[in-house]
Amino acid sequence: MTALRLLSIFAYLLSASICVAIGWYAWLRKPVPGAKPLAMLAFVEAEWCLTYLLQLLSPSLEGKLFWNNAQFFGAVAAPLFYLAFGVEYNRRSGLLSRFDWRWLTPVSLAVLGLIWTDGAHHLFRVEPALAQGSLFTHLRFTDGPLFGVFTVYAYTLIVITTLLILVHYLIANHLYRLQIGVLLVGILIPWVTSVVTALGWLPLRLHDATPLTFGLSNLVMAWALFRYHLFDLVPVARDLLIDSLQSGVIVLNDKACIMDVNPAGERILGMSLNQCVGKPLYEVLPIPAEWFKLAAQSSPLIQDFKLYPAGEETSYEIHISSLQTASGAVVGQVVALSDISDRIRVQEKLRHLAITDDLTGLFNRRYFSLLANQELERALRYRHDLSVILLDIDYFKLVNDTHGHLVGDQVLNQLAQECFLGLRAFDISARFGGEEFIIALPETDLDAASQTAERLRARAEKLRVDTDQGEIQITISLGVASLSQSPGRTLNQLIDCADQALYQAKNSGRNQVCVWEENPQTAAA
């Protein structure tokens, strides 16, 4: 046996061994999408390669025909598993999402059955015979009509698979085309070789050359699948997850310049990827450049800010995380922009509910105390004026008893809406409880507060409340107290003084304003 013959045998064995190793490696990683079809493809190509070698080594025509039939098991199964691989790959990007490659299994079995029954009809191999070559005795035959059926079947599946992955290559982001291109190269190696040899462009027979390329083809495909994690990362993360996210995702380099943007990010930026690539993000968005330095030092950084896409104010939360190498070097950053407008609106609504009276829309007693105490502290610190008005609807119990509580609520609401309109923006008005209301008047002395109270009384007297039970007229009584009467009082003391003045107004005939005055005898005591 010549050295060249031994080298040829070794080449086929090496190609088959690589296929088996890749198949086993992929099979152990079946949970990885695409690994199982790759394993099956590698196994059937190993079978194809080994049975072709056994065909070459068989001395008799009958032996060569037997191993040729065995060889076509791999030749028929390989295109089907190529298709399975391509479908699995493109399913994650949305292409052929409902197609099941196993539907074609009956077609493959039918083609294989026609080949294996050739001894009965001789429509696949016409006049098979032995032919002596330089290294091996070869099986020679004329291609019958069924050989054309096999050729159409095999190359149709191969072309479809290649086109599927090519389409995905064309629609993928440029950052991921290298990985998909590697996969395409692995797929095309044996089939380009088969086409080239079939056209006579290489001094080799078709079945001599193609099995030798299976090992290299599977190595490239496995490297693309497991090195780049094509199925785990690229199609899912980029084409399904990233592109479908409602949040904007922007990838920056170490100079904070934009390298990639998903569609949501393009909408937020108001420009396409091509328009913004290479630009510093802080020139595109109102984001201080210092934020990126802070994120690099203590990743991640979370901040809120506002934008005006389409002229409408929108609140966003920006989340900046650093991209680091295994050694810890920062090579870039990922910026996520989430629309939090709905959350802000809910928070504002909850805050509004927490600080307001749900019937009148005025502040509630708790929030009034908070704001009024702040004003009191400021007034005491800078020796400014501050006054309080406490008012009560006269004979309100009679309104409820006569007309019902729903009408009473209507009276309270209309009083709050119409009588308090003349107050200043920084005056603090609230429903104090029941039919009582309270107003804190910063920068207001006793005389000015009394005038304000009188205006409120006059408005209430003119107020006519239209109800289902007819028109209702009301009056109010008011008590006024001022910090200038007795400096150093607490808010509760000031409210108590206004309450005493209100009590005096009611005892004096109602529908009037009374001002609290400290009893000189009490002061002396």
Side-chain angles (χ1 to χ4, degrees):
M1 186 176 290
T2 65
L4 188 56
R5 179 182 170 94
L6 288 174
L7 183 61
S8 298
I9 294 173
F10 174 77
Y12 286 111
L13 290 175
L14 178 63
S15 180
S17 299
I18 292 174
C19 290
V20 171
I22 295 297
W24 181 248
Y25 183 85
W27 187 260
L28 294 177
R29 288 154 181 79
K30 286 186 294 183
V32 177
K36 189 173 182 179
L38 176 62
M40 298 305 298
L41 175 64
F43 286 144
V44 297
E45 286 183 338
E47 188 271 348
W48 183 347
C49 190
L50 287 173
T51 52
Y52 180 69
L53 176 61
L54 292 171
Q55 175 188 313
L56 290 177
L57 296 176
S58 180
S60 66
L61 178 61
E62 291 77 10
K64 289 187 182 296
L65 287 173
F66 173 83
W67 291 115
N68 188 250
N69 278 335
Q71 171 195 336
F72 271 97
F73 172 81
V76 170
L80 182 63
F81 287 122
Y82 263 117
L83 180 65
F85 187 86
V87 168
E88 185 74 22
Y89 181 84
N90 287 281
R91 192 187 310 281
R92 306 303 292 274
S93 63
L95 298 175
L96 296 180
S97 59
R98 298 183 179 180
F99 177 77
D100 190 338
W101 61 270
R102 288 169 292 191
W103 295 342
L104 295 177
T105 301
V107 177
S108 302
L109 292 175
V111 172
L112 185 61
L114 292 174
I115 296 172
W116 283 1
T117 58
D118 182 65
H121 51 71
H122 303 292
L123 295 177
F124 186 76
R125 308 178 194 88
V126 178
E127 298 181 354
L130 297 177
Q132 184 61 47
S134 58
L135 298 177
F136 303 98
T137 302
H138 295 281
L139 174 66
R140 301 280 188 176
F141 56 85
T142 302
D143 296 340
L146 290 184
F147 197 92
V149 172
F150 162 75
T151 302
V152 170
Y153 156 83
Y155 281 96
T156 297
L157 297 188
I158 293 165
V159 169
I160 290 174
T161 303
T162 304
L163 288 177
L164 284 174
I165 299 177
L166 181 61
V167 167
H168 191 68
Y169 172 85
L170 294 175
I171 65 176
N173 185 271
H174 67 281
L175 295 176
Y176 304 102
R177 289 186 176 178
L178 173 61
Q179 292 95 318
I180 304 173
V182 172
L183 179 63
L184 270 173
V185 169
I187 289 176
L188 291 175
I189 286 173
W191 308 115
V192 169
T193 301
S194 68
V195 171
V196 169
T197 53
L199 293 174
W201 294 351
L202 288 177
L204 295 170
R205 296 176 67 251
L206 174 63
H207 293 287
D208 285 341
T210 304
L212 292 173
T213 64
F214 291 156
L216 177 60
S217 171
N218 279 283
L219 275 176
V220 173
M221 292 179 66
W223 186 71
L225 177 62
F226 298 109
R227 168 63 176 85
Y228 284 116
H229 299 282
L230 285 174
F231 292 92
D232 291 344
L233 177 64
V234 176
V236 178
R238 175 67 200 178
D239 298 324
L240 280 182
L241 275 178
I242 301 299
D243 284 356
S244 64
L245 284 176
Q246 296 300 311
S247 299
V249 178
I250 305 172
V251 181
L252 309 176
N253 63 12
D254 59 343
K255 306 297 183 183
C257 294
I258 299 172
M259 300 302 294
D260 193 15
V261 182
N262 73 339
E266 292 178 327
R267 290 192 295 271
I268 294 172
L269 297 177
M271 58 181 67
S272 67
L273 174 62
N274 292 334
Q275 291 174 317
C276 60
V277 163
K279 294 183 179 180
L281 183 59
Y282 51 79
E283 292 184 4
V284 179
L285 288 178
I287 298 175
E290 292 75 17
W291 285 11
F292 302 100
K293 296 177 183 178
L294 290 173
Q297 296 168 359
S298 56
S299 180
L301 176 71
I302 303 175
Q303 296 283 345
D304 295 347
F305 69 105
K306 296 184 183 296
L307 289 177
Y308 297 85
E312 182 178 351
E313 181 180 279
T314 306
S315 298
Y316 288 95
E317 180 181 84
I318 182 170
H319 188 288
I320 306 176
S321 300
S322 295
L323 295 173
Q324 298 180 344
T325 63
S327 62
V330 176
V331 296
Q333 291 169 318
V334 175
V335 178
L337 300 169
S338 302
D339 186 343
I340 58 172
S341 299
D342 289 340
R343 188 178 80 190
I344 294 296
R345 282 191 286 269
V346 170
Q347 290 174 345
E348 290 177 348
K349 185 175 182 180
L350 291 174
R351 179 180 179 274
H352 177 77
L353 292 173
I355 67 175
T356 59
D357 172 59
D358 58 353
L359 176 62
T360 63
L362 300 177
F363 291 139
N364 58 28
R365 183 169 180 169
R366 178 181 297 176
Y367 195 61
F368 171 84
S369 297
L370 175 64
L371 297 181
N373 269 307
Q374 292 174 354
E375 290 296 335
L376 179 63
E377 291 176 6
R378 189 173 64 87
L380 291 173
R381 184 182 304 115
Y382 299 108
R383 298 183 179 180
H384 290 178
D385 290 317
L386 175 69
S387 298
V388 170
I389 299 174
L390 192 64
L391 65 93
D392 182 277
I393 300 176
D394 296 330
Y395 303 110
F396 185 71
K397 183 177 184 301
L398 182 60
V399 174
N400 279 335
D401 292 344
T402 304
H403 302 285
H405 288 279
L406 291 179
V407 172
D409 289 348
Q410 188 176 348
V411 171
L412 289 170
N413 182 56
Q414 195 160 338
L415 174 68
Q417 297 304 316
E418 297 188 19
C419 290
F420 290 21
L421 290 177
L423 297 176
R424 300 167 299 180
F426 53 83
D427 292 335
I428 308 167
S429 56
R431 185 180 178 191
F432 200 62
E435 67 272 21
E436 286 188 325
F437 296 84
I438 192 168
I439 306 167
L441 304 170
E443 308 290 343
T444 305
D445 61 18
L446 185 62
D447 290 339
S450 298
Q451 294 173 14
T452 299
E454 179 58 32
R455 287 196 299 270
L456 290 173
R457 187 205 63 77
R459 282 183 187 161
E461 189 176 32
K462 296 177 182 179
L463 183 64
R464 301 294 184 270
V465 182
D466 294 324
T467 71
D468 294 339
Q469 301 182 30
E471 186 178 85
I472 296 177
Q473 184 178 0
I474 62 169
T475 61
I476 59 175
S477 299
L478 306 96
V480 183
S482 178
L483 187 62
S484 60
Q485 293 172 283
S486 181
R489 293 184 182 277
T490 65
L491 179 62
N492 286 338
Q493 290 172 328
L494 196 58
I495 293 173
D496 183 60
C497 291
D499 190 37
Q500 293 179 39
L502 173 61
Y503 183 77
Q504 181 183 351
K506 285 186 172 292
N507 285 341
S508 300
R510 292 182 169 83
N511 191 23
Q512 59 183 280
V513 176
C514 283
V515 175
W516 181 83
E517 293 182 359
E518 186 173 16
N519 188 327
Q521 295 180 353
T522 303

